[in-house]
Amino acid sequence: MAQKLQLSASQLSRSNLLTLEIFLDLTKKDETATWEYTDNVKAAAALIIDADTDLGRRELAQLVLQGGRQVLIAFSGDRTGFPGGVLVLPRPLRSAELLSVLRQASEKILNAFQEKEETGSPQGALSSEGSAKPSSVADGSESSRRVIAILCANQSKILKVTDRLSRVVIFEMERRRYYTAGLSQMDVEDLIASPAGSSRFEEIGSSQLLSETQNLKPQDLEPPLWTAALAVSNGKLFEGLSSTGFYRLNRWPDLKKLGQDPLHLKLTALLRRGGAIDYFVDFTKGSAGDVIDFLNACRALNCLEIQTQQAATPVQTPEPQKPNTGKLSLFSRIRSRLGI
Amino acid sequence: MKQIKFIFTGPPGAGKTTAIAAISEFPPVSTDVFSTDGLAAVKEKTTVAMDFGQITLDNGQKIGLYGTPGQQRFKFMWDILVQGGLGLIVLVDNRRADPLKDLGIYLDNFAEFIKSTDVVIGVTCSDLKETPSIDDYQNYLQARNQVFPVFAIDARNKADVLFLLDTLLTCLEIS
C-alpha cells in the first residue's frame, strides 16, 4: 500500500505553487508513495525551496546546516552547486521532473524509516548467493547504493533482481535485455533507480535464465537503463568516472530510441572525438550537470571509454577547431529548410 | 558533377530511392531498369546509374540528393557520384543474407569519402527480420574500431530519414 507523504514549499511564486499542487495529484497512482501539499513547513516530509531567490538560498543553506530529517529539494535553473543530500528540481516546473524528484524523495524517506526499523545493515536485503557485489554510486543525494550501480558493475552477467514487493526482473546485461512478468517499463525504470538495499540480487547462469524465462519475451533494457541513469544522476558523476578524465565513445548509443534529445546528439558527436567534461561544457554552452548526466547514461549503457589522469598516457583534450563559418551557415540553412 | 549533395548508398532494395523520395521536393528522377538477376524476386526495377532528388534552400541554393546504384558492378558510378558530397547515408536491408557483410562492403568502398566527410547508417526492414539487431551492428563496427551512428529506420517515413540527416549534420558540424 502506498505511503502518504506531505510536501511543503518555501519562496515559490503563486503560479508555481498552484502548478505544484496540480502536479501532486499525479502521484495518486504511485504504488510506493502519494504526496499531498501542506502549508505546515515543519510537518512536511519534504520541502521545496526556490533556490534562485536570495531568501531561498539562505533558507536552504540554513536548513542544510541544521541537518534535520526533512528531505530538501532545491528548485533552481542551475542544477549544480548544491550540497550533497539536496535534491534538485530543475526550473521551469515540469510534471515529469517533479515526479522523478518526488520518487527519489519518497525513497529516501522510506529507506530512512526502514533503516530505523531494522537493526541490521542497510544492505541487509542483498543476496549472498550470487557473486554480484553491490558497488556504490553517487546518486546526487547520499552515498546510498542504487540498483543501477550494481547493473553497471556487472555488464557481462545475468542478474535476477527481486524487489521489496517480491517482483522479479531478470537482467541479461551483456545482451542488454530484461525479462519480467507484469512490470511495465516505468516500473523497471523505478527498480533500476531505486536503492539497492531494497532488492535482492542473484547471479544466475544461462540454463537457469532459459528455464525461468520460457514464457517471457525479452525486452530492450537500454531505454529504462538510460532513463534511470539520467533520473538518478543529478549532476554527479557515477563511481568510476572522474571530473578530470578523458572520455570517448566506443559505440554510438541508439539515440533514436533514447529520446532524440538535440543536446544528447551533439554530445554524442563530441564524445566520439573524445574530450574532458570542461571541453564538452564549453563546446555545447550547456551546463556541467547536463554533460555529467549524459556521461553517466553512456556509462550505464557501457558505451563509454574512460582515461583518467593516472593513466600512463596524459589526458589530452582535442584543440577546439575553428568552425568553418561557410559550412555552418550551409548546414543551418539545410536544417531550416528541412525543419530539423 | 561538383554540386553540393548528400549521397545515399547501400545494397539493392535497401530503400535509397524511397528515402530520397521522402524528403526531395520532387519525385526522384531514377534511371531504373527491370531487374534480370536474382534481385527480380525482391524488386521489379533497380537503379542502374543513379537516383536524383533535390531540396532548394531559402537563398536559392540547390542541394542534391543522390542515390547510387546498389550493385557492386556499378562501382565506377560511386566514385563519380561522391564528388562534392557533404556526407554519406548508408542504408542496409536487414532481410538480406548477410547485412553486416553488406555494411562492410559499403564502408570499405566509401572509406576515403567517409574519412573526409562522415557517415550515418540506417537499417531498413528490421521489423520484418529482427536479426541482426542494432546492437549486432554496433558490435560489428566496434570490432572494426569504428564508431558510427546506426539506427533502425523506415525509409518511407520522412521523420526517420530526417533523423538520419540531422545526425549526419551534427557529426559534420562537430568534425
Side-chain angles (χ1 to χ4, degrees):
Chain A
M1 190 181 157
Q3 296 285 327
K4 267 192 185 172
L5 298 171
Q6 286 190 317
L7 174 76
S8 193
S10 177
Q11 311 301 333
L12 246 61
S13 68
R14 181 152 177 74
S15 60
N16 274 328
L17 202 55
L18 285 171
T19 313
L20 177 70
E21 289 185 44
I22 292 166
F23 286 167
L24 285 184
D25 272 354
L26 298 173
T27 66
K28 287 197 171 135
K29 287 180 187 166
D30 198 299
E31 289 173 1
T32 316
T34 63
W35 287 87
E36 61 184 25
Y37 186 78
T38 175
D39 285 327
N40 187 345
V41 172
K42 285 187 178 167
L47 177 65
I48 294 183
I49 301 171
D50 189 339
D52 289 342
T53 65
D54 283 343
L55 279 175
R57 251 194 311 276
R58 260 179 271 157
E59 186 181 347
L60 183 64
Q62 212 167 14
L63 289 168
V64 170
L65 275 177
Q66 285 170 7
R69 294 184 65 86
Q70 202 170 40
V71 173
L72 300 173
I73 302 168
F75 179 51
S76 173
D78 185 1
R79 300 179 70 176
T80 55
F82 294 103
V86 174
L87 300 178
V88 181
L89 176 62
R91 188 177 230 107
L93 189 54
R94 293 194 188 92
S95 60
E97 283 158 336
L98 174 71
L99 293 181
S100 165
V101 168
L102 288 181
R103 216 168 283 140
Q104 292 176 55
S106 56
E107 278 165 10
K108 285 183 78 169
I109 294 160
L110 296 175
N111 283 336
F113 181 72
Q114 202 176 32
E115 279 172 29
K116 203 178 158 189
E117 281 195 329
E118 290 170 4
T119 50
S121 76
Q123 297 296 328
L126 283 173
S127 166
S128 58
E129 294 164 50
S131 60
K133 297 279 189 289
S135 62
S136 74
V137 63
D139 64 357
S141 52
E142 294 170 351
S143 59
S144 64
R145 296 160 182 175
R146 292 182 181 272
V147 171
I148 193 168
I150 295 171
L151 297 181
C152 284
N154 292 281
Q155 294 278 1
S156 59
K157 293 180 179 167
I158 304 168
L159 297 181
K160 182 178 173 181
V161 182
T162 310
D163 74 1
R164 74 176 90 187
L165 301 172
S166 300
R167 300 180 301 183
V168 175
V169 182
I170 297 178
F171 295 96
E172 194 182 2
M173 293 306 295
E174 194 160 17
R175 300 179 75 177
R176 277 190 280 280
R177 52 197 207 176
Y178 69 91
Y179 301 82
T180 185
L183 264 70
S184 67
Q185 184 178 316
M186 205 178 281
D187 293 330
V188 176
E189 284 167 15
D190 286 348
L191 172 66
I192 295 171
S194 68
S198 314
S199 302
R200 258 170 46 84
F201 295 82
E202 185 188 350
E203 187 187 346
I204 62 171
S206 45
S207 55
Q208 192 178 343
L209 172 75
L210 270 178
S211 67
E212 294 207 21
T213 59
Q214 271 176 355
N215 300 316
L216 298 176
K217 201 180 163 200
Q219 297 184 66
D220 189 352
L221 177 58
E222 291 197 343
L225 207 49
W226 182 266
T227 308
L230 291 175
V232 303
S233 170
N234 214 10
K236 305 228 167 103
L237 285 165
F238 281 5
E239 192 175 276
L241 306 186
S242 149
S243 58
T244 55
F246 180 93
Y247 297 97
R248 194 192 292 278
L249 277 184
N250 58 30
R251 56 200 290 134
W252 191 283
D254 189 349
L255 296 177
K256 188 163 177 278
K257 68 179 180 191
L258 299 173
Q260 303 191 16
D261 183 321
L263 176 63
H264 290 170
L265 181 54
K266 203 169 186 177
L267 282 167
T268 307
L270 273 174
L271 201 52
R272 183 171 62 163
R273 287 178 61 195
I277 291 173
D278 291 346
Y279 169 69
F280 300 140
V281 173
D282 282 350
F283 204 106
T284 57
K285 309 273 185 287
S287 73
D290 287 340
V291 171
I292 288 169
D293 293 351
F294 176 77
L295 289 177
N296 285 338
C298 287
R299 162 80 165 169
L301 261 54
N302 204 19
C303 57
L304 194 63
E305 279 175 11
I306 309 136
Q307 182 187 332
T308 62
Q309 277 185 325
Q310 286 75 37
T313 320
V315 171
Q316 285 179 336
T317 293
E319 283 294 314
Q321 293 177 352
K322 281 185 187 168
N324 180 333
T325 47
K327 271 201 168 175
L328 288 184
S329 151
L330 171 65
F331 297 155
S332 165
R333 284 202 302 272
I334 294 172
R335 285 184 185 285
S336 163
R337 166 66 181 81
L338 293 172
I340 51 179
Chain B
M1 274 294 179
K2 282 260 178 187
Q3 191 196 357
I4 292 179
K5 57 197 167 186
F6 289 105
I7 314 295
F8 291 73
T9 193
K16 301 179 291 292
T17 311
T18 309
I20 291 171
I23 53 171
S24 172
E25 58 201 17
F26 53 73
V29 179
S30 301
T31 49
D32 285 354
V33 295
F34 286 96
S35 309
T36 53
D37 51 14
L39 184 64
V42 181
K43 61 188 296 206
E44 190 184 351
K45 288 181 172 183
T46 190
T47 304
V48 289
M50 63 180 188
D51 289 315
F52 172 65
Q54 186 172 276
I55 52 174
T56 308
L57 305 184
D58 55 5
N59 62 354
Q61 189 172 7
K62 313 277 188 201
I63 304 293
L65 307 167
Y66 284 77
T68 69
Q71 291 99 324
Q72 270 192 290
R73 63 176 182 270
F74 296 113
K75 184 182 177 304
F76 66 96
M77 282 296 299
W78 300 352
D79 301 331
I80 298 168
L81 284 174
V82 296
Q83 290 172 36
L86 281 175
L88 183 70
I89 296 114
V90 179
L91 298 181
V92 184
D93 182 350
N94 221 37
R95 295 168 302 178
R96 284 170 56 94
D98 193 346
L100 295 176
K101 189 178 167 196
D102 288 341
L103 175 61
I105 289 170
Y106 288 91
L107 291 180
D108 289 343
N109 277 291
F110 287 91
E112 281 304 309
F113 179 60
I114 293 169
K115 207 169 153 188
S116 61
T117 59
D118 220 317
V119 63
V120 291
I121 299 152
V123 178
T124 59
C125 303
S126 56
D127 53 334
L128 301 174
K129 186 167 167 271
E130 286 182 3
T131 54
S133 66
I134 297 300
D135 216 32
D136 295 329
Y137 281 95
Q138 286 294 359
N139 289 339
Y140 175 76
L141 289 174
Q142 210 169 355
R144 291 169 56 108
N145 212 15
Q146 291 175 317
V147 180
F148 294 133
V150 186
F151 308 112
I153 69 147
D154 181 341
R156 297 163 299 184
N157 185 332
K158 186 176 177 181
D160 280 9
V161 181
L162 289 181
F163 184 71
L164 283 181
L165 271 184
D166 190 11
T167 304
L168 181 58
L169 286 170
T170 305
C171 291
L172 292 169
E173 283 161 356
I174 301 294
S175 60

